[in-house]
Amino acid sequence: MDYLKTQGVDTLNGTIKISGAKNASLPLIAMTILAKNRVTIKNLPHVADIKTLLKLLSNLGASCEISLENVTVDTSKIHETKATYDIVKTMRASILVLGPILSRFGHCEVSLPGGCAIGQRPIDLHLKALEQMGAQIVIESGYVQATAPNGLKGCNIIFDKITVTGTANIVMAAALAEGITTITNAAREPEVVQLCEVLNASGVTIEGIGTAMLTIHGTNGKLLEIDEFSIIPDRIEAGTYLCAGAITKSKLTLTDVEPKHLGAVLSKLEEMGCKCSVTEKSITISPADELQPVKIITQEYPGFPTDMQAQFLALATQANGTSIIEERLFENRFMHVSELQRMGAKITLNGHTATVNGKTKLSGTDVMATDLRASSALVLAALVASGETNIHRIYHLDRGYDSLEKKLEGVGAKIQRLKE
Ligand code: UD1
């Protein structure tokens, strides 16, 4: 197993290129199941979750040719419709194949993902919506077994809660369904928007893209001709490196980024005293003289992303005063708190709210990554901790950050990947 050995630094300086978004790549790779042609996807990040999904597709019979940041997927020879436990247990987003497989083949089995470190994360809303579309669903031996012998039918779906992968799943199911599907209370995340835009350009008319009300005109089983496209920049990776600039009081420039997707994050960094100057595809952060405390409530897009909560919590340990961070999306997403406390952070947890008293001097020690974004919070803390921090279990980090240690090393961080 790999771990990261990190030493505190005075400052960082330079430019970081942002990779394609993991959370956009996953549904868009699953979407290739709806295609009749070989589909080329460009600007994929090198992260474990993408490899896992490509392996899942290969197990089903698809061929996936990878070259650098691009992949060409041919799903014409899919002969299997079962996503097995060994893959789904490593990546919950495997559930994204349920909608497209069911709508193309009329049957699909996907292992139930189970709980995870940040909370229960049920998939009841995905299943309820598919049932409304005419699917018959049973849960047996830990698997969702879905059939739609007469195909899926368009209908009006109202999500009780906004769900990102749920919206993506149902949009893909609706793409080949008979008739029109409407989704009320749809997710508006940029990653869902890109999925809708690509489908819309491939023969599935979708109205309301980027709003909470989507109308999808199904093709009634006709497979799609999907042109090559490029994945949007990863807004969470970008936000994490902006926090690296803010916490180390460094000027950093990010390139190949989409500033429009980072509104809530940039606004909180400015509230904390940093300056963020933006061009069409770059952001430069100039540090605050003294970081100010902040109040954050995580919300669905365009609100403050839950995937940036852990990183801002690390940042708040270096702010001068009391910050309050409330997690509204996942019930257990504060696992990084106890590790940060071991580094000297003064954080109290009360239900879904963390109160961070800064500024505290952090000191390096051995810490354990507990989930993807929690891992990057520990890296941020390690950048300003005195002495050496060893971050273990970084397989969590590798699920979603492309070459994190190389990118940070490139701007002056002292960070090394080693074997346990
Ligand atoms: C996606 C992102 C993840 C991000 C999250 C919230 C991907 C691959 N992952 O996860 O990085 O943290 O959005 O922005 O894009 N819920 C239900 N029933 C369901 C589905 C969801 O109760 O059937 C609840 C969840 O438990 C959670 C909330 O809805 O409390 C939002 O979850 P959801 O948007 O579905 O998260 P994911 O799509 O799993």
Side-chain angles (χ1 to χ4, degrees):
M1 233 191 283
D2 292 354
Y3 71 100
L4 289 178
K5 185 184 276 297
T6 308
Q7 257 139 19
V9 280
D10 287 338
T11 51
L12 305 174
N13 184 23
T15 299
I16 298 178
K17 183 175 182 295
I18 298 304
S19 299
K22 167 184 90 74
N23 285 355
S25 307
L26 295 172
L28 285 161
I29 291 171
M31 179 205 64
T32 62
I33 295 168
L34 306 174
K36 65 174 172 212
N37 61 314
R38 286 156 49 88
V39 183
T40 298
I41 307 179
K42 295 160 84 172
N43 197 36
L44 286 172
H46 292 278
V47 300
D49 273 9
I50 306 283
K51 288 188 197 127
T52 304
L53 185 56
L54 292 174
K55 184 170 167 215
L56 195 168
L57 287 190
S58 303
N59 288 353
L60 301 179
S63 80
C64 308
E65 289 163 30
I66 302 168
S67 99
L68 302 172
E69 280 84 38
N70 306 337
V71 70
T72 300
V73 186
D74 181 353
T75 57
S76 63
K77 303 225 162 43
I78 286 188
H79 50 80
E80 248 311 327
T81 55
K82 182 171 179 177
T84 50
Y85 177 67
D86 55 328
I87 294 222
V88 180
K89 73 171 188 225
T90 62
M91 189 186 66
R92 302 180 46 80
S94 306
I95 193 68
L96 282 165
V97 300
L98 177 60
I101 294 182
L102 184 62
S103 64
R104 177 165 172 178
F105 298 99
H107 51 88
C108 181
E109 270 185 74
V110 181
S111 169
L112 273 175
C116 79
I118 65 173
Q120 279 193 6
R121 302 185 82 177
I123 54 161
D124 56 314
L125 301 175
H126 303 229
L127 303 187
K128 190 173 154 206
L130 288 171
E131 280 177 336
Q132 272 184 267
M133 297 178 79
Q136 284 156 16
I137 295 181
V138 286
I139 310 278
E140 211 171 283
S141 310
Y143 278 78
V144 175
Q145 301 178 350
T147 50
N150 303 317
L152 294 171
K153 309 265 183 298
C155 65
N156 300 324
I157 289 158
I158 302 175
F159 277 128
D160 293 337
K161 256 187 180 180
I162 299 175
T163 160
V164 175
T165 48
T167 303
N169 230 340
I170 299 312
V171 166
M172 290 189 280
L176 297 194
E178 181 192 327
I180 296 174
T181 303
T182 61
I183 305 178
T184 304
N185 214 18
R188 291 180 284 162
E189 269 67 5
E191 296 77 18
V192 174
V193 168
Q194 186 176 27
L195 171 71
C196 292
E197 282 172 348
V198 174
L199 285 169
N200 197 49
S202 312
V204 183
T205 304
I206 304 184
E207 288 142 20
I209 296 178
T211 74
M213 169 85 185
L214 295 170
T215 304
I216 304 120
H217 297 253
T219 66
N220 198 8
K222 194 168 152 242
L223 294 179
L224 313 178
E225 179 84 38
I226 302 175
D227 285 341
E228 135 180 334
F229 60 90
S230 189
I231 298 291
I232 57 170
D234 196 313
R235 61 195 167 100
I236 306 302
E237 188 199 19
T240 303
Y241 292 128
L242 290 172
C243 287
I247 202 166
T248 57
K249 293 190 183 282
S250 308
K251 187 170 179 175
L252 286 181
T253 296
L254 310 186
T255 63
D256 299 74
V257 66
E258 182 48 85
K260 284 200 288 264
H261 295 164
L262 280 144
V265 169
L266 294 179
S267 143
K268 287 295 163 192
L269 285 169
E270 301 239 339
E271 262 180 64
M272 294 181 85
C274 303
K275 286 211 167 46
C276 301
S277 47
V278 159
T279 70
E280 205 191 328
K281 294 281 170 227
S282 80
I283 304 174
T284 298
I285 180 161
S286 303
D289 294 333
E290 196 68 66
L291 277 171
Q292 299 305 309
V294 70
K295 279 203 172 117
I296 289 176
I297 298 175
T298 63
Q299 277 166 337
E300 296 86 2
Y301 189 85
F304 186 90
T306 173
D307 285 354
M308 284 301 305
Q309 177 258 103
Q311 300 89 317
F312 268 77
L313 207 141
L315 188 54
T317 66
Q318 301 308 300
N320 212 356
T322 302
S323 296
I324 301 194
I325 300 184
E326 191 181 330
E327 173 57 55
R328 289 255 180 104
L329 269 81
F330 294 110
E331 69 266 26
N332 197 23
R333 204 172 198 174
F334 279 125
M335 305 275 281
H336 38 287
V337 166
S338 46
E339 298 301 292
L340 289 170
Q341 284 167 333
R342 295 186 55 251
M343 296 177 76
K346 294 202 171 66
I347 307 170
T348 43
L349 268 183
N350 187 358
H352 294 180
T353 304
T355 304
V356 188
N357 288 306
K359 167 182 183 177
T360 39
K361 207 170 144 16
L362 301 179
S363 49
T365 181
D366 285 279
V367 287
M368 199 89 87
T370 48
D371 71 61
L372 170 55
R373 307 303 169 185
S375 322
S376 58
L378 298 178
V379 173
L380 293 174
L383 289 174
V384 289
S386 59
E388 202 169 85
T389 307
N390 295 313
I391 305 168
H392 302 276
R393 298 204 183 160
I394 55 162
Y395 55 86
H396 289 294
L397 193 84
D398 294 335
R399 282 190 39 221
Y401 284 93
D402 183 347
S403 321
L404 174 124
E405 72 275 13
K406 290 201 188 93
K407 291 189 184 191
L408 282 175
E409 227 184 346
V411 292
K414 291 185 189 142
I415 182 164
Q416 248 184 311
R417 178 181 288 262
L418 297 169
K419 295 261 176 238
E420 298 278 6

